[in-house]
PDB file of all heavy atoms in Angstrom:
ATOM      1  N   ASN A   1    -105.762  19.589 -39.816  1.00 92.00           N
ATOM      2  CA  ASN A   1    -106.952  18.629 -39.655  1.00 92.00           C
ATOM      3  C   ASN A   1    -107.142  18.061 -38.406  1.00 92.00           C
ATOM      4  O   ASN A   1    -108.226  18.015 -37.796  1.00 92.00           O
ATOM      5  CB  ASN A   1    -106.891  17.491 -40.732  1.00 92.00           C
ATOM      6  CG  ASN A   1    -107.258  18.005 -42.118  1.00 92.00           C
ATOM      7  OD1 ASN A   1    -108.221  18.664 -42.329  1.00 92.00           O
ATOM      8  ND2 ASN A   1    -106.407  17.545 -43.149  1.00 92.00           N
ATOM      9  N   SER A   2    -106.013  17.697 -37.729  1.00 93.00           N
ATOM     10  CA  SER A   2    -106.064  17.079 -36.331  1.00 93.00           C
ATOM     11  C   SER A   2    -106.597  18.128 -35.388  1.00 93.00           C
ATOM     12  O   SER A   2    -107.460  17.820 -34.594  1.00 93.00           O
ATOM     13  CB  SER A   2    -104.599  16.605 -35.933  1.00 93.00           C
ATOM     14  OG  SER A   2    -104.743  16.007 -34.709  1.00 93.00           O
ATOM     15  N   LEU A   3    -106.168  19.331 -35.505  1.00 93.00           N
ATOM     16  CA  LEU A   3    -106.665  20.322 -34.547  1.00 93.00           C
ATOM     17  C   LEU A   3    -108.141  20.647 -34.879  1.00 93.00           C
ATOM     18  O   LEU A   3    -109.013  20.791 -33.912  1.00 93.00           O
ATOM     19  CB  LEU A   3    -105.890  21.702 -34.675  1.00 93.00           C
ATOM     20  CG  LEU A   3    -104.412  21.565 -34.168  1.00 93.00           C
ATOM     21  CD1 LEU A   3    -103.697  22.866 -34.605  1.00 93.00           C
ATOM     22  CD2 LEU A   3    -104.372  21.359 -32.712  1.00 93.00           C
ATOM     23  N   HIS A   4    -108.408  20.698 -36.111  1.00 91.00           N
ATOM     24  CA  HIS A   4    -109.853  21.078 -36.566  1.00 91.00           C
ATOM     25  C   HIS A   4    -110.804  19.933 -36.033  1.00 91.00           C
ATOM     26  O   HIS A   4    -111.877  20.260 -35.457  1.00 91.00           O
ATOM     27  CB  HIS A   4    -109.771  21.112 -38.054  1.00 91.00           C
ATOM     28  CG  HIS A   4    -111.219  21.606 -38.688  1.00 91.00           C
ATOM     29  ND1 HIS A   4    -111.963  22.535 -38.048  1.00 91.00           N
ATOM     30  CD2 HIS A   4    -111.793  21.221 -39.858  1.00 91.00           C
ATOM     31  CE1 HIS A   4    -112.991  22.714 -38.743  1.00 91.00           C
ATOM     32  NE2 HIS A   4    -112.979  21.969 -39.781  1.00 91.00           N
ATOM     33  N   THR A   5    -110.423  18.686 -36.246  1.00 92.00           N
ATOM     34  CA  THR A   5    -111.364  17.651 -35.923  1.00 92.00           C
ATOM     35  C   THR A   5    -111.585  17.573 -34.378  1.00 92.00           C
ATOM     36  O   THR A   5    -112.608  17.211 -33.859  1.00 92.00           O
ATOM     37  CB  THR A   5    -110.930  16.289 -36.458  1.00 92.00           C
ATOM     38  OG1 THR A   5    -109.547  16.045 -36.108  1.00 92.00           O
ATOM     39  CG2 THR A   5    -111.057  16.194 -37.950  1.00 92.00           C
ATOM     40  N   ASN A   6    -110.403  17.743 -33.646  1.00 93.00           N
ATOM     41  CA  ASN A   6    -110.471  17.774 -32.194  1.00 93.00           C
ATOM     42  C   ASN A   6    -111.389  18.768 -31.655  1.00 93.00           C
ATOM     43  O   ASN A   6    -112.301  18.581 -30.792  1.00 93.00           O
ATOM     44  CB  ASN A   6    -109.126  17.923 -31.576  1.00 93.00           C
ATOM     45  CG  ASN A   6    -108.211  16.658 -31.720  1.00 93.00           C
ATOM     46  OD1 ASN A   6    -108.748  15.606 -31.988  1.00 93.00           O
ATOM     47  ND2 ASN A   6    -106.945  16.920 -31.684  1.00 93.00           N
ATOM     48  N   ARG A   7    -111.428  19.997 -32.281  1.00 91.00           N
ATOM     49  CA  ARG A   7    -112.294  21.041 -31.817  1.00 91.00           C
ATOM     50  C   ARG A   7    -113.735  20.731 -32.271  1.00 91.00           C
ATOM     51  O   ARG A   7    -114.704  20.893 -31.361  1.00 91.00           O
ATOM     52  CB  ARG A   7    -111.943  22.364 -32.561  1.00 91.00           C
ATOM     53  CG  ARG A   7    -110.816  23.063 -31.925  1.00 91.00           C
ATOM     54  CD  ARG A   7    -110.640  24.490 -32.396  1.00 91.00           C
ATOM     55  NE  ARG A   7    -110.430  24.543 -33.849  1.00 91.00           N
ATOM     56  CZ  ARG A   7    -109.175  24.651 -34.490  1.00 91.00           C
ATOM     57  NH1 ARG A   7    -108.138  24.847 -33.608  1.00 91.00           N
ATOM     58  NH2 ARG A   7    -109.040  24.814 -35.684  1.00 91.00           N
ATOM     59  N   LEU A   8    -113.989  20.192 -33.395  1.00 90.00           N
ATOM     60  CA  LEU A   8    -115.311  19.752 -33.828  1.00 90.00           C
ATOM     61  C   LEU A   8    -115.929  18.663 -32.884  1.00 90.00           C
ATOM     62  O   LEU A   8    -117.087  18.617 -32.462  1.00 90.00           O
ATOM     63  CB  LEU A   8    -115.398  19.331 -35.344  1.00 90.00           C
ATOM     64  CG  LEU A   8    -115.105  20.431 -36.263  1.00 90.00           C
ATOM     65  CD1 LEU A   8    -115.100  19.828 -37.720  1.00 90.00           C
ATOM     66  CD2 LEU A   8    -116.344  21.420 -36.151  1.00 90.00           C
ATOM     67  N   LEU A   9    -115.007  17.712 -32.587  1.00 91.00           N
ATOM     68  CA  LEU A   9    -115.613  16.566 -31.651  1.00 91.00           C
ATOM     69  C   LEU A   9    -115.927  17.143 -30.315  1.00 91.00           C
ATOM     70  O   LEU A   9    -116.876  16.610 -29.699  1.00 91.00           O
ATOM     71  CB  LEU A   9    -114.480  15.523 -31.556  1.00 91.00           C
ATOM     72  CG  LEU A   9    -114.248  14.673 -32.809  1.00 91.00           C
ATOM     73  CD1 LEU A   9    -113.078  13.780 -32.629  1.00 91.00           C
ATOM     74  CD2 LEU A   9    -115.485  13.771 -33.166  1.00 91.00           C
ATOM     75  N   GLU A  10    -115.121  18.031 -29.825  1.00 90.00           N
ATOM     76  CA  GLU A  10    -115.359  18.618 -28.493  1.00 90.00           C
ATOM     77  C   GLU A  10    -116.747  19.429 -28.539  1.00 90.00           C
ATOM     78  O   GLU A  10    -117.535  19.365 -27.568  1.00 90.00           O
ATOM     79  CB  GLU A  10    -114.254  19.579 -28.027  1.00 90.00           C
ATOM     80  CG  GLU A  10    -114.419  20.216 -26.631  1.00 90.00           C
ATOM     81  CD  GLU A  10    -113.291  21.089 -26.247  1.00 90.00           C
ATOM     82  OE1 GLU A  10    -112.294  21.118 -27.024  1.00 90.00           O
ATOM     83  OE2 GLU A  10    -113.432  21.731 -25.266  1.00 90.00           O
ATOM     84  N   ARG A  11    -116.849  20.245 -29.580  1.00 86.00           N
ATOM     85  CA  ARG A  11    -118.114  21.067 -29.713  1.00 86.00           C
ATOM     86  C   ARG A  11    -119.281  20.064 -29.980  1.00 86.00           C
ATOM     87  O   ARG A  11    -120.372  20.352 -29.495  1.00 86.00           O
ATOM     88  CB  ARG A  11    -117.971  21.934 -31.008  1.00 86.00           C
ATOM     89  CG  ARG A  11    -116.967  23.166 -30.680  1.00 86.00           C
ATOM     90  CD  ARG A  11    -116.675  23.981 -31.978  1.00 86.00           C
ATOM     91  NE  ARG A  11    -117.883  24.468 -32.480  1.00 86.00           N
ATOM     92  CZ  ARG A  11    -117.894  25.110 -33.633  1.00 86.00           C
ATOM     93  NH1 ARG A  11    -116.733  25.256 -34.265  1.00 86.00           N
ATOM     94  NH2 ARG A  11    -119.050  25.615 -34.119  1.00 86.00           N
ATOM     95  N   GLY A  12    -119.089  19.017 -30.720  1.00 86.00           N
ATOM     96  CA  GLY A  12    -120.184  18.084 -30.945  1.00 86.00           C
ATOM     97  C   GLY A  12    -120.697  17.415 -29.587  1.00 86.00           C
ATOM     98  O   GLY A  12    -121.887  17.129 -29.476  1.00 86.00           O
ATOM     99  N   SER A  13    -119.764  17.076 -28.840  1.00 87.00           N
ATOM    100  CA  SER A  13    -120.054  16.481 -27.600  1.00 87.00           C
ATOM    101  C   SER A  13    -121.020  17.419 -26.788  1.00 87.00           C
ATOM    102  O   SER A  13    -121.926  17.112 -26.036  1.00 87.00           O
ATOM    103  CB  SER A  13    -118.848  16.021 -26.726  1.00 87.00           C
ATOM    104  OG  SER A  13    -119.150  15.528 -25.546  1.00 87.00           O
ATOM    105  N   ILE A  14    -120.496  18.753 -26.626  1.00 84.00           N
ATOM    106  CA  ILE A  14    -121.247  19.649 -25.938  1.00 84.00           C
ATOM    107  C   ILE A  14    -122.611  19.897 -26.475  1.00 84.00           C
ATOM    108  O   ILE A  14    -123.640  20.004 -25.732  1.00 84.00           O
ATOM    109  CB  ILE A  14    -120.490  21.022 -25.967  1.00 84.00           C
ATOM    110  CG1 ILE A  14    -119.101  20.796 -25.068  1.00 84.00           C
ATOM    111  CG2 ILE A  14    -121.267  22.149 -25.356  1.00 84.00           C
ATOM    112  CD1 ILE A  14    -118.149  21.990 -25.208  1.00 84.00           C
ATOM    113  N   ARG A  15    -122.674  19.986 -27.875  1.00 83.00           N
ATOM    114  CA  ARG A  15    -123.880  20.223 -28.517  1.00 83.00           C
ATOM    115  C   ARG A  15    -124.866  19.040 -28.284  1.00 83.00           C
ATOM    116  O   ARG A  15    -126.109  19.208 -27.999  1.00 83.00           O
ATOM    117  CB  ARG A  15    -123.629  20.264 -30.042  1.00 83.00           C
ATOM    118  CG  ARG A  15    -124.894  20.738 -30.913  1.00 83.00           C
ATOM    119  CD  ARG A  15    -125.384  22.044 -30.605  1.00 83.00           C
ATOM    120  NE  ARG A  15    -124.396  23.026 -30.565  1.00 83.00           N
ATOM    121  CZ  ARG A  15    -123.672  23.600 -31.607  1.00 83.00           C
ATOM    122  NH1 ARG A  15    -123.920  23.068 -32.793  1.00 83.00           N
ATOM    123  NH2 ARG A  15    -122.670  24.493 -31.395  1.00 83.00           N
ATOM    124  N   ASP A  16    -124.386  17.793 -28.166  1.00 85.00           N
ATOM    125  CA  ASP A  16    -125.332  16.758 -27.960  1.00 85.00           C
ATOM    126  C   ASP A  16    -125.865  16.781 -26.532  1.00 85.00           C
ATOM    127  O   ASP A  16    -126.993  16.477 -26.369  1.00 85.00           O
ATOM    128  CB  ASP A  16    -124.401  15.321 -28.108  1.00 85.00           C
ATOM    129  CG  ASP A  16    -125.347  14.175 -27.947  1.00 85.00           C
ATOM    130  OD1 ASP A  16    -126.237  14.018 -28.728  1.00 85.00           O
ATOM    131  OD2 ASP A  16    -125.005  13.381 -27.057  1.00 85.00           O
ATOM    132  N   THR A  17    -125.085  17.107 -25.589  1.00 85.00           N
ATOM    133  CA  THR A  17    -125.525  17.293 -24.237  1.00 85.00           C
ATOM    134  C   THR A  17    -126.586  18.342 -24.210  1.00 85.00           C
ATOM    135  O   THR A  17    -127.568  18.241 -23.472  1.00 85.00           O
ATOM    136  CB  THR A  17    -124.356  17.704 -23.202  1.00 85.00           C
ATOM    137  OG1 THR A  17    -123.393  16.481 -23.350  1.00 85.00           O
ATOM    138  CG2 THR A  17    -124.709  17.864 -21.863  1.00 85.00           C
ATOM    139  N   GLU A  18    -126.356  19.514 -24.863  1.00 80.00           N
ATOM    140  CA  GLU A  18    -127.253  20.598 -24.847  1.00 80.00           C
ATOM    141  C   GLU A  18    -128.651  20.235 -25.398  1.00 80.00           C
ATOM    142  O   GLU A  18    -129.691  20.479 -25.001  1.00 80.00           O
ATOM    143  CB  GLU A  18    -126.691  21.794 -25.601  1.00 80.00           C
ATOM    144  CG  GLU A  18    -125.555  22.446 -24.823  1.00 80.00           C
ATOM    145  CD  GLU A  18    -124.807  23.661 -25.698  1.00 80.00           C
ATOM    146  OE1 GLU A  18    -125.090  23.530 -26.859  1.00 80.00           O
ATOM    147  OE2 GLU A  18    -124.163  24.472 -25.164  1.00 80.00           O
ATOM    148  N   LEU A  19    -128.546  19.515 -26.516  1.00 82.00           N
ATOM    149  CA  LEU A  19    -129.814  19.050 -27.231  1.00 82.00           C
ATOM    150  C   LEU A  19    -130.559  17.990 -26.271  1.00 82.00           C
ATOM    151  O   LEU A  19    -131.805  18.227 -26.166  1.00 82.00           O
ATOM    152  CB  LEU A  19    -129.462  18.370 -28.548  1.00 82.00           C
ATOM    153  CG  LEU A  19    -129.076  19.341 -29.656  1.00 82.00           C
ATOM    154  CD1 LEU A  19    -128.491  18.585 -30.859  1.00 82.00           C
ATOM    155  CD2 LEU A  19    -130.319  20.108 -30.151  1.00 82.00           C
ATOM    156  N   THR A  20    -129.788  17.176 -25.743  1.00 84.00           N
ATOM    157  CA  THR A  20    -130.466  16.166 -24.824  1.00 84.00           C
ATOM    158  C   THR A  20    -131.083  16.801 -23.646  1.00 84.00           C
ATOM    159  O   THR A  20    -132.203  16.591 -23.260  1.00 84.00           O
ATOM    160  CB  THR A  20    -129.453  15.215 -24.315  1.00 84.00           C
ATOM    161  OG1 THR A  20    -128.842  14.381 -25.393  1.00 84.00           O
ATOM    162  CG2 THR A  20    -130.033  14.155 -23.346  1.00 84.00           C
ATOM    163  N   ASN A  21    -130.362  17.845 -22.955  1.00 81.00           N
ATOM    164  CA  ASN A  21    -131.025  18.566 -21.893  1.00 81.00           C
ATOM    165  C   ASN A  21    -132.218  19.449 -22.221  1.00 81.00           C
ATOM    166  O   ASN A  21    -133.142  19.468 -21.478  1.00 81.00           O
ATOM    167  CB  ASN A  21    -129.832  19.492 -21.317  1.00 81.00           C
ATOM    168  CG  ASN A  21    -128.772  18.754 -20.595  1.00 81.00           C
ATOM    169  OD1 ASN A  21    -128.911  17.633 -20.221  1.00 81.00           O
ATOM    170  ND2 ASN A  21    -127.650  19.382 -20.363  1.00 81.00           N
ATOM    171  N   PHE A  22    -132.048  19.998 -23.511  1.00 79.00           N
ATOM    172  CA  PHE A  22    -133.227  20.809 -23.921  1.00 79.00           C
ATOM    173  C   PHE A  22    -134.460  19.929 -24.177  1.00 79.00           C
ATOM    174  O   PHE A  22    -135.609  20.208 -23.625  1.00 79.00           O
ATOM    175  CB  PHE A  22    -132.869  21.437 -25.268  1.00 79.00           C
ATOM    176  CG  PHE A  22    -134.139  22.295 -25.832  1.00 79.00           C
ATOM    177  CD1 PHE A  22    -134.280  23.570 -25.401  1.00 79.00           C
ATOM    178  CD2 PHE A  22    -134.958  21.718 -26.658  1.00 79.00           C
ATOM    179  CE1 PHE A  22    -135.337  24.272 -25.982  1.00 79.00           C
ATOM    180  CE2 PHE A  22    -136.014  22.414 -27.088  1.00 79.00           C
ATOM    181  CZ  PHE A  22    -136.256  23.693 -26.759  1.00 79.00           C
ATOM    182  N   ILE A  23    -134.333  18.731 -24.880  1.00 78.00           N
ATOM    183  CA  ILE A  23    -135.422  17.811 -25.063  1.00 78.00           C
ATOM    184  C   ILE A  23    -135.901  17.306 -23.725  1.00 78.00           C
ATOM    185  O   ILE A  23    -137.249  17.060 -23.584  1.00 78.00           O
ATOM    186  CB  ILE A  23    -134.919  16.718 -25.922  1.00 78.00           C
ATOM    187  CG1 ILE A  23    -134.665  17.299 -27.304  1.00 78.00           C
ATOM    188  CG2 ILE A  23    -136.053  15.624 -26.092  1.00 78.00           C
ATOM    189  CD1 ILE A  23    -133.968  16.268 -28.300  1.00 78.00           C
ATOM    190  N   ALA A  24    -134.991  17.222 -22.752  1.00 78.00           N
ATOM    191  CA  ALA A  24    -135.437  16.606 -21.413  1.00 78.00           C
ATOM    192  C   ALA A  24    -135.910  17.731 -20.499  1.00 78.00           C
ATOM    193  O   ALA A  24    -136.257  17.447 -19.308  1.00 78.00           O
ATOM    194  CB  ALA A  24    -134.302  15.930 -20.765  1.00 78.00           C
ATOM    195  N   SER A  25    -136.052  18.882 -21.011  1.00 73.00           N
ATOM    196  CA  SER A  25    -136.638  20.080 -20.227  1.00 73.00           C
ATOM    197  C   SER A  25    -135.730  20.547 -19.130  1.00 73.00           C
ATOM    198  O   SER A  25    -136.257  21.196 -18.176  1.00 73.00           O
ATOM    199  CB  SER A  25    -138.035  19.690 -19.645  1.00 73.00           C
ATOM    200  OG  SER A  25    -138.998  19.430 -20.709  1.00 73.00           O
ATOM    201  N   SER A  26    -134.531  20.246 -19.130  1.00 65.00           N
ATOM    202  CA  SER A  26    -133.608  20.742 -18.100  1.00 65.00           C
ATOM    203  C   SER A  26    -132.781  21.966 -18.489  1.00 65.00           C
ATOM    204  O   SER A  26    -132.047  22.462 -17.751  1.00 65.00           O
ATOM    205  CB  SER A  26    -132.688  19.644 -17.606  1.00 65.00           C
ATOM    206  OG  SER A  26    -131.857  19.157 -18.746  1.00 65.00           O
ATOM    207  N   GLU A  27    -132.842  22.288 -19.842  1.00 59.00           N
ATOM    208  CA  GLU A  27    -132.097  23.457 -20.252  1.00 59.00           C
ATOM    209  C   GLU A  27    -132.957  24.751 -20.112  1.00 59.00           C
ATOM    210  O   GLU A  27    -134.153  24.773 -20.526  1.00 59.00           O
ATOM    211  CB  GLU A  27    -131.821  23.331 -21.810  1.00 59.00           C
ATOM    212  CG  GLU A  27    -130.807  24.353 -22.265  1.00 59.00           C
ATOM    213  CD  GLU A  27    -129.379  24.062 -21.805  1.00 59.00           C
ATOM    214  OE1 GLU A  27    -128.913  22.954 -21.697  1.00 59.00           O
ATOM    215  OE2 GLU A  27    -128.694  25.139 -21.624  1.00 59.00           O
ATOM    216  N   GLN A  28    -132.412  25.704 -19.467  1.00 63.00           N
ATOM    217  CA  GLN A  28    -133.299  26.840 -19.093  1.00 63.00           C
ATOM    218  C   GLN A  28    -132.997  28.155 -19.736  1.00 63.00           C
ATOM    219  O   GLN A  28    -133.389  29.217 -19.492  1.00 63.00           O
ATOM    220  CB  GLN A  28    -133.202  27.058 -17.603  1.00 63.00           C
ATOM    221  CG  GLN A  28    -133.694  25.885 -16.782  1.00 63.00           C
ATOM    222  CD  GLN A  28    -135.030  25.579 -17.096  1.00 63.00           C
ATOM    223  OE1 GLN A  28    -136.001  26.437 -17.213  1.00 63.00           O
ATOM    224  NE2 GLN A  28    -135.459  24.193 -17.189  1.00 63.00           N
ATOM    225  N   ASP A  29    -132.147  28.146 -20.760  1.00 63.00           N
ATOM    226  CA  ASP A  29    -131.815  29.344 -21.588  1.00 63.00           C
ATOM    227  C   ASP A  29    -131.800  29.146 -22.945  1.00 63.00           C
ATOM    228  O   ASP A  29    -132.010  27.865 -23.433  1.00 63.00           O
ATOM    229  CB  ASP A  29    -130.481  29.974 -21.171  1.00 63.00           C
ATOM    230  CG  ASP A  29    -129.240  29.085 -21.463  1.00 63.00           C
ATOM    231  OD1 ASP A  29    -129.090  28.842 -22.667  1.00 63.00           O
ATOM    232  OD2 ASP A  29    -128.527  28.765 -20.580  1.00 63.00           O
ATOM    233  N   LEU A  30    -131.712  30.138 -23.808  1.00 66.00           N
ATOM    234  CA  LEU A  30    -131.865  29.989 -25.228  1.00 66.00           C
ATOM    235  C   LEU A  30    -130.554  29.775 -26.007  1.00 66.00           C
ATOM    236  O   LEU A  30    -130.535  29.918 -27.155  1.00 66.00           O
ATOM    237  CB  LEU A  30    -132.614  31.269 -25.734  1.00 66.00           C
ATOM    238  CG  LEU A  30    -134.014  31.474 -25.196  1.00 66.00           C
ATOM    239  CD1 LEU A  30    -134.521  32.987 -25.667  1.00 66.00           C
ATOM    240  CD2 LEU A  30    -134.993  30.407 -25.662  1.00 66.00           C
ATOM    241  N   GLY A  31    -129.608  29.602 -25.219  1.00 66.00           N
ATOM    242  CA  GLY A  31    -128.242  29.400 -25.812  1.00 66.00           C
ATOM    243  C   GLY A  31    -128.088  28.390 -26.916  1.00 66.00           C
ATOM    244  O   GLY A  31    -127.611  28.625 -27.949  1.00 66.00           O
ATOM    245  N   MET A  32    -128.636  27.178 -26.546  1.00 67.00           N
ATOM    246  CA  MET A  32    -128.536  26.100 -27.518  1.00 67.00           C
ATOM    247  C   MET A  32    -129.248  26.409 -28.824  1.00 67.00           C
ATOM    248  O   MET A  32    -128.787  26.050 -29.971  1.00 67.00           O
ATOM    249  CB  MET A  32    -129.077  24.878 -26.946  1.00 67.00           C
ATOM    250  CG  MET A  32    -128.959  23.606 -27.648  1.00 67.00           C
ATOM    251  SD  MET A  32    -130.257  23.400 -29.018  1.00 67.00           S
ATOM    252  CE  MET A  32    -131.698  23.323 -27.897  1.00 67.00           C
ATOM    253  N   ILE A  33    -130.529  26.998 -28.725  1.00 68.00           N
ATOM    254  CA  ILE A  33    -131.322  27.279 -29.915  1.00 68.00           C
ATOM    255  C   ILE A  33    -130.555  28.302 -30.739  1.00 68.00           C
ATOM    256  O   ILE A  33    -130.516  28.223 -32.004  1.00 68.00           O
ATOM    257  CB  ILE A  33    -132.617  27.881 -29.504  1.00 68.00           C
ATOM    258  CG1 ILE A  33    -133.415  26.824 -28.564  1.00 68.00           C
ATOM    259  CG2 ILE A  33    -133.523  28.115 -30.762  1.00 68.00           C
ATOM    260  CD1 ILE A  33    -133.686  25.536 -29.322  1.00 68.00           C
ATOM    261  N   ARG A  34    -129.962  29.361 -30.104  1.00 65.00           N
ATOM    262  CA  ARG A  34    -129.197  30.314 -30.851  1.00 65.00           C
ATOM    263  C   ARG A  34    -128.091  29.758 -31.701  1.00 65.00           C
ATOM    264  O   ARG A  34    -127.781  30.072 -32.799  1.00 65.00           O
ATOM    265  CB  ARG A  34    -128.698  31.372 -29.872  1.00 65.00           C
ATOM    266  CG  ARG A  34    -129.875  32.339 -29.441  1.00 65.00           C
ATOM    267  CD  ARG A  34    -129.169  33.670 -28.908  1.00 65.00           C
ATOM    268  NE  ARG A  34    -130.302  34.443 -28.253  1.00 65.00           N
ATOM    269  CZ  ARG A  34    -130.428  34.513 -26.969  1.00 65.00           C
ATOM    270  NH1 ARG A  34    -129.729  33.800 -26.189  1.00 65.00           N
ATOM    271  NH2 ARG A  34    -131.349  35.455 -26.494  1.00 65.00           N
ATOM    272  N   GLN A  35    -127.451  28.717 -31.077  1.00 66.00           N
ATOM    273  CA  GLN A  35    -126.230  28.074 -31.670  1.00 66.00           C
ATOM    274  C   GLN A  35    -126.589  27.305 -32.944  1.00 66.00           C
ATOM    275  O   GLN A  35    -125.751  26.901 -33.676  1.00 66.00           O
ATOM    276  CB  GLN A  35    -125.573  27.189 -30.720  1.00 66.00           C
ATOM    277  CG  GLN A  35    -124.760  27.909 -29.655  1.00 66.00           C
ATOM    278  CD  GLN A  35    -124.227  27.008 -28.521  1.00 66.00           C
ATOM    279  OE1 GLN A  35    -123.933  25.893 -28.839  1.00 66.00           O
ATOM    280  NE2 GLN A  35    -123.990  27.506 -27.352  1.00 66.00           N
ATOM    281  N   LEU A  36    -127.917  27.127 -33.234  1.00 65.00           N
ATOM    282  CA  LEU A  36    -128.303  26.526 -34.414  1.00 65.00           C
ATOM    283  C   LEU A  36    -127.777  27.275 -35.671  1.00 65.00           C
ATOM    284  O   LEU A  36    -127.601  26.716 -36.774  1.00 65.00           O
ATOM    285  CB  LEU A  36    -129.842  26.234 -34.560  1.00 65.00           C
ATOM    286  CG  LEU A  36    -130.428  25.320 -33.566  1.00 65.00           C
ATOM    287  CD1 LEU A  36    -131.919  25.319 -33.719  1.00 65.00           C
ATOM    288  CD2 LEU A  36    -129.927  23.828 -33.767  1.00 65.00           C
ATOM    289  N   ASN A  37    -127.562  28.555 -35.550  1.00 57.00           N
ATOM    290  CA  ASN A  37    -127.094  29.336 -36.551  1.00 57.00           C
ATOM    291  C   ASN A  37    -125.577  29.129 -36.828  1.00 57.00           C
ATOM    292  O   ASN A  37    -125.025  29.496 -37.749  1.00 57.00           O
ATOM    293  CB  ASN A  37    -127.183  30.821 -36.242  1.00 57.00           C
ATOM    294  CG  ASN A  37    -128.569  31.536 -36.763  1.00 57.00           C
ATOM    295  OD1 ASN A  37    -129.247  30.751 -37.598  1.00 57.00           O
ATOM    296  ND2 ASN A  37    -128.957  32.564 -36.396  1.00 57.00           N
ATOM    297  N   GLY A  38    -124.912  28.423 -35.910  1.00 57.00           N
ATOM    298  CA  GLY A  38    -123.462  28.405 -35.848  1.00 57.00           C
ATOM    299  C   GLY A  38    -123.000  26.936 -35.981  1.00 57.00           C
ATOM    300  O   GLY A  38    -121.756  26.719 -35.600  1.00 57.00           O
ATOM    301  N   LEU A  39    -123.808  26.069 -36.444  1.00 61.00           N
ATOM    302  CA  LEU A  39    -123.408  24.624 -36.533  1.00 61.00           C
ATOM    303  C   LEU A  39    -122.242  24.583 -37.610  1.00 61.00           C
ATOM    304  O   LEU A  39    -122.471  25.044 -38.793  1.00 61.00           O
ATOM    305  CB  LEU A  39    -124.536  23.787 -36.915  1.00 61.00           C
ATOM    306  CG  LEU A  39    -125.556  23.448 -35.792  1.00 61.00           C
ATOM    307  CD1 LEU A  39    -126.727  22.580 -36.282  1.00 61.00           C
ATOM    308  CD2 LEU A  39    -124.765  22.720 -34.629  1.00 61.00           C
ATOM    309  N   ALA A  40    -121.216  24.018 -37.229  1.00 60.00           N
ATOM    310  CA  ALA A  40    -120.026  24.001 -38.249  1.00 60.00           C
ATOM    311  C   ALA A  40    -119.896  22.586 -38.734  1.00 60.00           C
ATOM    312  O   ALA A  40    -120.083  21.592 -38.001  1.00 60.00           O
ATOM    313  CB  ALA A  40    -118.758  24.406 -37.506  1.00 60.00           C
ATOM    314  N   ASN A  41    -119.602  22.340 -40.137  1.00 67.00           N
ATOM    315  CA  ASN A  41    -119.344  21.112 -40.628  1.00 67.00           C
ATOM    316  C   ASN A  41    -117.813  21.006 -40.875  1.00 67.00           C
ATOM    317  O   ASN A  41    -117.059  21.879 -40.927  1.00 67.00           O
ATOM    318  CB  ASN A  41    -120.115  21.007 -42.034  1.00 67.00           C
ATOM    319  CG  ASN A  41    -121.550  20.953 -41.875  1.00 67.00           C
ATOM    320  OD1 ASN A  41    -122.087  20.162 -41.231  1.00 67.00           O
ATOM    321  ND2 ASN A  41    -122.139  22.091 -42.383  1.00 67.00           N
ATOM    322  N   TYR A  42    -117.497  19.722 -41.070  1.00 74.00           N
ATOM    323  CA  TYR A  42    -115.939  19.530 -41.236  1.00 74.00           C
ATOM    324  C   TYR A  42    -115.577  19.793 -42.694  1.00 74.00           C
ATOM    325  O   TYR A  42    -116.176  19.281 -43.668  1.00 74.00           O
ATOM    326  CB  TYR A  42    -115.696  17.937 -41.032  1.00 74.00           C
ATOM    327  CG  TYR A  42    -114.254  17.654 -41.383  1.00 74.00           C
ATOM    328  CD1 TYR A  42    -113.142  18.248 -40.666  1.00 74.00           C
ATOM    329  CD2 TYR A  42    -114.037  16.690 -42.344  1.00 74.00           C
ATOM    330  CE1 TYR A  42    -111.928  17.794 -41.043  1.00 74.00           C
ATOM    331  CE2 TYR A  42    -112.654  16.434 -42.659  1.00 74.00           C
ATOM    332  CZ  TYR A  42    -111.676  16.983 -42.040  1.00 74.00           C
ATOM    333  OH  TYR A  42    -110.401  16.698 -42.285  1.00 74.00           O
ATOM    334  N   THR A  43    -114.680  20.773 -42.755  1.00 79.00           N
ATOM    335  CA  THR A  43    -114.086  21.102 -44.062  1.00 79.00           C
ATOM    336  C   THR A  43    -112.768  20.817 -44.044  1.00 79.00           C
ATOM    337  O   THR A  43    -111.811  21.487 -43.342  1.00 79.00           O
ATOM    338  CB  THR A  43    -114.242  22.585 -44.299  1.00 79.00           C
ATOM    339  OG1 THR A  43    -115.695  23.012 -44.261  1.00 79.00           O
ATOM    340  CG2 THR A  43    -113.789  23.006 -45.786  1.00 79.00           C
TER     341      THR A  43
END
């Protein structure tokens, strides 16, 4: 669980930055949008 939550928190931080950049019009590729298919929840 410790490894799993650490990975999710790291990915969550990156995802938040990507969403913020996209909404602020500074994201210039479709990577963040494609990743909507791969959002992981804590199991």
Side-chain angles (χ1 to χ4, degrees):
N1 281 315
S2 183
L3 293 173
H4 186 36
T5 53
N6 287 341
R7 284 195 296 265
L8 287 178
L9 289 172
E10 182 179 352
R11 289 170 59 184
S13 177
I14 294 172
R15 185 68 44 73
D16 182 58
T17 300
E18 290 173 339
L19 286 167
T20 299
N21 290 341
F22 178 86
I23 294 170
S25 302
S26 59
E27 191 74 37
Q28 297 303 318
D29 63 62
L30 299 172
M32 185 279 298
I33 301 299
R34 290 199 183 100
Q35 289 178 22
L36 292 175
N37 268 351
L39 286 176
N41 296 295
Y42 174 64
T43 304

